[in-house]
Amino acid sequence: MKNKKKIALNSLFNFAILCTAFSVWIAVDSFRTGDIEFFIISGVIALLILSAGVVFTPCVYIFDSEGLTLRYVFCEERYLWENISEIEMNWERFEFGGSPRANLLDLFFPSYSVYADCEGKLYFFMSGNIRKTLRTKHLIKKYWDGEITGYFFEDAKKAIDKRRRKKKKYIAAHLTDEIVPMEREARAKAREWLKPYEAELRQMGLTIRCKYVYTVDGWDEYNSRPDEGYNYTLVIEISRPDEKDEKRIVVFSEDLLYVRLGKTAYRGVENNLAEELLQQTLTRELREIAKIGFEEYINK
């Protein structure tokens, strides 16, 4: 079956082209009236706007069943739906620091941020931002199995959606046939990552304990799968054997999976940086423990 593509225009790119045309018109008119200084200024402005629009701004967004492409004049930025962990609204939370990718343009040209690894080469000006229009919103909902986050009234929306899901739970619960194997595989990988550190800790007279929890919004922690989007998180505890005092237990954590509620099932995306981040943290901290001793380490 042919993978049909849908195209949406970038409102910011169109605006840049209009501004360029207007600046060129002013420059031509200034040249006709003999105002050479204004002609030069208008020409430079037109050139700058055109260059910025053509080089740094996607001209169209292309949606298909496999992913999303931000097409520039000279290159493209590609994301696969299965690798997108979150799509976030930028502008409504701009003044409150809600989105790390929000910028001043989002006050005038609202955008969505796509959180995923880019397929192919990622240039410095590629940020995974899609300008919000009725069409881009419609196409995201059509192709992506998830909910857009980042709205100003998101907490109230979450509460309403959760209440609705509870009422409908007896009719259709979200399927876990995809996410359960992903969680199982994530645990298996984590055990392999930690084996070298277990041996090193035993030589220091320390033990390492692991638990896997479900975290929501980076704060709320659950031992069972919540009826909302969550992160599947590895929590590492390092201490003396049989230690019960929480103040004498060193705790590290890292998200292994980013999980969202799709239309019918839980959908997960692996955190590809988890192993690297864990290794960096444990290597650094164990080196410090070996240097100054565990007692001094927990008391510093």
Side-chain angles (χ1 to χ4, degrees):
M1 183 177 177
K2 188 176 181 180
N3 187 6
K4 293 184 178 180
K5 298 180 179 180
K6 301 288 185 180
I7 294 176
L9 300 178
N10 180 1
S11 55
L12 180 59
F13 180 83
N14 295 340
F15 181 73
I17 296 301
L18 288 174
C19 288
T20 300
F22 182 68
S23 298
V24 169
W25 177 79
I26 292 177
V28 171
D29 187 65
S30 299
F31 183 78
R32 288 176 178 173
T33 58
D35 191 344
I36 301 302
E37 183 177 349
F38 207 65
F39 163 73
I40 295 174
I41 294 174
S42 300
V44 170
I45 292 174
L47 183 61
L48 290 175
I49 295 174
L50 180 63
S51 299
V54 169
V55 177
F56 302 119
T57 307
C59 49
V60 295
Y61 307 115
I62 303 173
F63 295 77
D64 58 59
S65 60
E66 295 180 354
L68 162 70
T69 301
L70 286 69
R71 178 66 55 79
Y72 297 77
V73 173
F74 300 110
C75 58
E76 66 179 32
E77 188 177 355
R78 175 76 170 171
Y79 300 97
L80 300 181
W81 298 122
E82 62 182 13
N83 294 334
I84 296 177
S85 60
E86 182 182 7
I87 297 180
E88 181 184 33
M89 180 71 182
N90 279 333
W91 76 278
E92 291 196 10
R93 294 166 65 178
F94 172 76
E95 294 183 358
F96 304 94
S99 172
R101 296 189 186 180
N103 53 58
L104 286 173
L105 283 174
D106 290 305
L107 293 174
F108 307 99
F109 297 93
S111 69
Y112 299 118
S113 281
V114 175
Y115 290 87
D117 291 332
C118 181
E119 302 295 313
K121 189 171 183 178
L122 186 69
Y123 295 94
F124 72 92
F125 53 84
M126 295 179 174
S127 60
N129 281 8
I130 307 170
R131 294 301 155 186
K132 177 182 177 292
T133 63
L134 290 175
R135 182 161 177 78
T136 55
K137 182 178 181 180
H138 166 73
L139 291 174
I140 288 173
K141 290 186 174 182
K142 174 181 173 67
Y143 286 104
W144 187 58
D145 192 7
E147 291 291 328
I148 298 171
T149 64
Y151 290 100
F152 180 70
F153 296 105
E154 186 170 342
D155 291 338
K157 183 178 181 296
K158 276 186 178 179
I160 294 171
D161 289 344
K162 195 171 183 179
R163 199 176 304 119
R164 287 175 178 170
R165 287 196 297 272
K166 283 183 178 179
K167 288 181 179 179
K168 295 180 179 179
K169 199 168 185 178
Y170 69 95
I171 300 175
H174 276 77
L175 301 176
T176 59
D177 55 339
E178 175 184 307
I179 200 62
V180 168
M182 291 187 70
E183 291 173 358
R184 188 186 303 120
E185 184 179 354
R187 293 193 297 269
K189 287 182 178 180
R191 286 193 292 269
E192 290 298 318
W193 300 340
L194 295 175
K195 281 182 180 179
Y197 300 101
E198 291 175 354
E200 185 176 349
L201 284 165
R202 279 197 298 270
Q203 293 179 351
M204 298 181 186
L206 303 172
T207 61
I208 181 171
R209 293 182 295 275
C210 299
K211 63 178 181 178
Y212 302 86
V213 299
Y214 306 91
T215 57
V216 177
D217 295 331
W219 298 100
D220 299 327
E221 183 177 305
Y222 302 89
N223 292 320
S224 58
R225 187 177 293 106
D227 189 25
E228 58 185 308
Y230 63 87
N231 291 352
Y232 192 56
T233 304
L234 165 63
V235 179
I236 299 171
E237 297 179 348
I238 296 175
S239 66
R240 298 289 186 191
D242 302 320
E243 181 64 67
K244 302 298 183 183
D245 187 355
E246 292 185 357
K247 295 181 180 179
R248 298 178 60 81
I249 299 175
V250 181
V251 179
F252 305 107
S253 65
E254 189 60 54
D255 296 327
L256 303 179
L257 300 173
Y258 305 116
V259 182
R260 66 184 186 277
L261 279 183
K263 296 179 177 67
T264 60
Y266 288 92
R267 304 297 184 191
V269 176
E270 184 179 358
N271 178 10
N272 294 322
L273 295 176
E275 180 180 4
E276 179 183 348
L277 294 174
L278 277 173
Q279 288 177 344
Q280 289 177 354
T281 299
L282 289 174
T283 300
R284 181 182 65 249
E285 299 306 318
L286 292 188
R287 187 181 295 121
E288 183 70 10
I289 291 173
K291 180 180 179 181
I292 65 177
F294 186 70
E295 293 299 324
E296 185 175 342
Y297 178 86
I298 61 176
N299 291 323
K300 70 174 182 178

mmCIF file of all heavy atoms in Angstrom, residues 5 22 69 83 104 106 116 118 155 171 184 190 238 246 283-284 299:
data_model
loop_
_atom_site.group_PDB
_atom_site.id
_atom_site.type_symbol
_atom_site.label_atom_id
_atom_site.label_comp_id
_atom_site.label_asym_id
_atom_site.label_seq_id
_atom_site.Cartn_x
_atom_site.Cartn_y
_atom_site.Cartn_z
ATOM 1 N N LYS A 5 1.149 10.935 1.514
ATOM 2 C CA LYS A 5 1.737 12.057 2.232
ATOM 3 C C LYS A 5 0.787 13.246 2.249
ATOM 4 O O LYS A 5 0.090 13.515 1.270
ATOM 5 C CB LYS A 5 3.067 12.460 1.589
ATOM 6 C CG LYS A 5 4.114 11.349 1.621
ATOM 7 C CD LYS A 5 5.411 11.788 0.981
ATOM 8 C CE LYS A 5 6.457 10.669 1.048
ATOM 9 N NZ LYS A 5 7.736 11.088 0.430
ATOM 10 N N PHE A 22 7.860 42.669 0.453
ATOM 11 C CA PHE A 22 7.550 44.055 0.841
ATOM 12 C C PHE A 22 8.823 44.899 0.869
ATOM 13 O O PHE A 22 8.830 46.059 0.398
ATOM 14 C CB PHE A 22 6.881 44.060 2.207
ATOM 15 C CG PHE A 22 6.477 45.421 2.694
ATOM 16 C CD1 PHE A 22 5.449 46.131 2.071
ATOM 17 C CD2 PHE A 22 7.138 46.007 3.769
ATOM 18 C CE1 PHE A 22 5.089 47.389 2.519
ATOM 19 C CE2 PHE A 22 6.783 47.264 4.220
ATOM 20 C CZ PHE A 22 5.750 47.963 3.591
ATOM 21 N N THR A 69 8.326 14.981 8.349
ATOM 22 C CA THR A 69 9.505 15.596 7.731
ATOM 23 C C THR A 69 9.348 17.104 7.708
ATOM 24 O O THR A 69 8.324 17.625 7.260
ATOM 25 C CB THR A 69 9.704 15.097 6.285
ATOM 26 O OG1 THR A 69 9.857 13.686 6.299
ATOM 27 C CG2 THR A 69 10.933 15.730 5.661
ATOM 28 N N ASN A 83 9.363 6.869 17.393
ATOM 29 C CA ASN A 83 10.456 7.355 18.244
ATOM 30 C C ASN A 83 10.126 8.657 18.952
ATOM 31 O O ASN A 83 10.959 9.180 19.692
ATOM 32 C CB ASN A 83 11.725 7.543 17.411
ATOM 33 C CG ASN A 83 12.270 6.235 16.878
ATOM 34 O OD1 ASN A 83 12.047 5.178 17.467
ATOM 35 N ND2 ASN A 83 12.980 6.294 15.766
ATOM 36 N N LEU A 104 11.055 33.800 21.481
ATOM 37 C CA LEU A 104 10.186 34.959 21.252
ATOM 38 C C LEU A 104 9.258 34.774 20.054
ATOM 39 O O LEU A 104 8.140 35.289 20.046
ATOM 40 C CB LEU A 104 11.045 36.218 21.065
ATOM 41 C CG LEU A 104 11.689 36.783 22.336
ATOM 42 C CD1 LEU A 104 12.642 37.902 21.989
ATOM 43 C CD2 LEU A 104 10.609 37.291 23.293
ATOM 44 N N ASP A 106 7.595 32.296 19.347
ATOM 45 C CA ASP A 106 6.417 31.534 19.740
ATOM 46 C C ASP A 106 5.294 32.430 20.260
ATOM 47 O O ASP A 106 4.150 31.992 20.351
ATOM 48 C CB ASP A 106 6.782 30.498 20.803
ATOM 49 C CG ASP A 106 7.620 29.380 20.225
ATOM 50 O OD1 ASP A 106 7.173 28.774 19.244
ATOM 51 O OD2 ASP A 106 8.715 29.128 20.738
ATOM 52 N N ALA A 116 12.303 13.727 19.971
ATOM 53 C CA ALA A 116 12.700 12.446 19.381
ATOM 54 C C ALA A 116 14.081 12.607 18.770
ATOM 55 O O ALA A 116 14.552 13.726 18.550
ATOM 56 C CB ALA A 116 11.698 12.006 18.312
ATOM 57 N N CYS A 118 16.502 12.671 15.730
ATOM 58 C CA CYS A 118 16.351 13.003 14.312
ATOM 59 C C CYS A 118 16.988 11.912 13.450
ATOM 60 O O CYS A 118 18.084 11.421 13.760
ATOM 61 C CB CYS A 118 17.002 14.348 14.028
ATOM 62 S SG CYS A 118 16.878 14.893 12.306
ATOM 63 N N ASP A 155 -2.909 20.968 33.762
ATOM 64 C CA ASP A 155 -3.248 20.236 34.978
ATOM 65 C C ASP A 155 -4.748 19.971 35.069
ATOM 66 O O ASP A 155 -5.173 18.868 35.425
ATOM 67 C CB ASP A 155 -2.780 21.012 36.219
ATOM 68 C CG ASP A 155 -1.263 21.038 36.325
ATOM 69 O OD1 ASP A 155 -0.623 20.153 35.718
ATOM 70 O OD2 ASP A 155 -0.730 21.919 37.001
ATOM 71 N N ILE A 171 -15.103 -0.282 30.161
ATOM 72 C CA ILE A 171 -15.416 -0.528 28.755
ATOM 73 C C ILE A 171 -14.153 -0.909 27.980
ATOM 74 O O ILE A 171 -14.125 -1.895 27.248
ATOM 75 C CB ILE A 171 -16.061 0.712 28.113
ATOM 76 C CG1 ILE A 171 -17.355 1.058 28.846
ATOM 77 C CG2 ILE A 171 -16.319 0.484 26.632
ATOM 78 C CD1 ILE A 171 -18.012 2.337 28.356
ATOM 79 N N ARG A 184 10.386 -5.056 30.257
ATOM 80 C CA ARG A 184 11.176 -6.250 30.558
ATOM 81 C C ARG A 184 12.568 -6.147 29.921
ATOM 82 O O ARG A 184 13.588 -6.455 30.557
ATOM 83 C CB ARG A 184 10.442 -7.484 30.033
ATOM 84 C CG ARG A 184 11.082 -8.811 30.472
ATOM 85 C CD ARG A 184 10.393 -9.995 29.810
ATOM 86 N NE ARG A 184 8.965 -9.991 30.113
ATOM 87 C CZ ARG A 184 8.019 -9.910 29.200
ATOM 88 N NH1 ARG A 184 8.340 -9.824 27.912
ATOM 89 N NH2 ARG A 184 6.742 -9.928 29.532
ATOM 90 N N ALA A 190 19.535 -2.959 31.822
ATOM 91 C CA ALA A 190 20.071 -2.269 32.996
ATOM 92 C C ALA A 190 20.899 -3.227 33.852
ATOM 93 O O ALA A 190 21.949 -2.848 34.388
ATOM 94 C CB ALA A 190 18.928 -1.678 33.818
ATOM 95 N N ILE A 238 22.889 2.640 46.816
ATOM 96 C CA ILE A 238 24.201 2.133 47.211
ATOM 97 C C ILE A 238 24.379 2.375 48.703
ATOM 98 O O ILE A 238 24.174 3.494 49.192
ATOM 99 C CB ILE A 238 25.318 2.836 46.411
ATOM 100 C CG1 ILE A 238 25.175 2.509 44.915
ATOM 101 C CG2 ILE A 238 26.694 2.403 46.917
ATOM 102 C CD1 ILE A 238 26.156 3.253 44.039
ATOM 103 N N GLU A 246 17.878 5.774 55.821
ATOM 104 C CA GLU A 246 17.821 6.394 54.499
ATOM 105 C C GLU A 246 18.905 7.445 54.293
ATOM 106 O O GLU A 246 19.323 7.701 53.158
ATOM 107 C CB GLU A 246 16.446 7.028 54.283
ATOM 108 C CG GLU A 246 15.314 6.017 54.177
ATOM 109 C CD GLU A 246 13.993 6.673 53.855
ATOM 110 O OE1 GLU A 246 13.965 7.928 53.769
ATOM 111 O OE2 GLU A 246 12.979 5.962 53.703
ATOM 112 N N THR A 283 30.553 5.965 37.363
ATOM 113 C CA THR A 283 32.022 6.019 37.285
ATOM 114 C C THR A 283 32.555 7.188 38.098
ATOM 115 O O THR A 283 33.517 7.046 38.878
ATOM 116 C CB THR A 283 32.478 6.140 35.823
ATOM 117 O OG1 THR A 283 32.018 5.008 35.084
ATOM 118 C CG2 THR A 283 33.994 6.228 35.736
ATOM 119 N N ARG A 284 31.924 8.356 37.929
ATOM 120 C CA ARG A 284 32.370 9.547 38.669
ATOM 121 C C ARG A 284 32.190 9.380 40.177
ATOM 122 O O ARG A 284 33.102 9.663 40.962
ATOM 123 C CB ARG A 284 31.571 10.755 38.176
ATOM 124 C CG ARG A 284 31.989 12.065 38.869
ATOM 125 C CD ARG A 284 31.146 13.232 38.410
ATOM 126 N NE ARG A 284 29.743 13.082 38.803
ATOM 127 C CZ ARG A 284 28.740 12.868 37.949
ATOM 128 N NH1 ARG A 284 28.988 12.768 36.650
ATOM 129 N NH2 ARG A 284 27.504 12.743 38.377
ATOM 130 N N ASN A 299 28.654 11.904 54.234
ATOM 131 C CA ASN A 299 28.561 13.006 55.208
ATOM 132 C C ASN A 299 28.931 14.357 54.615
ATOM 133 O O ASN A 299 28.785 15.384 55.289
ATOM 134 C CB ASN A 299 29.469 12.720 56.410
ATOM 135 C CG ASN A 299 28.957 11.572 57.254
ATOM 136 O OD1 ASN A 299 27.751 11.410 57.432
ATOM 137 N ND2 ASN A 299 29.873 10.772 57.777
#
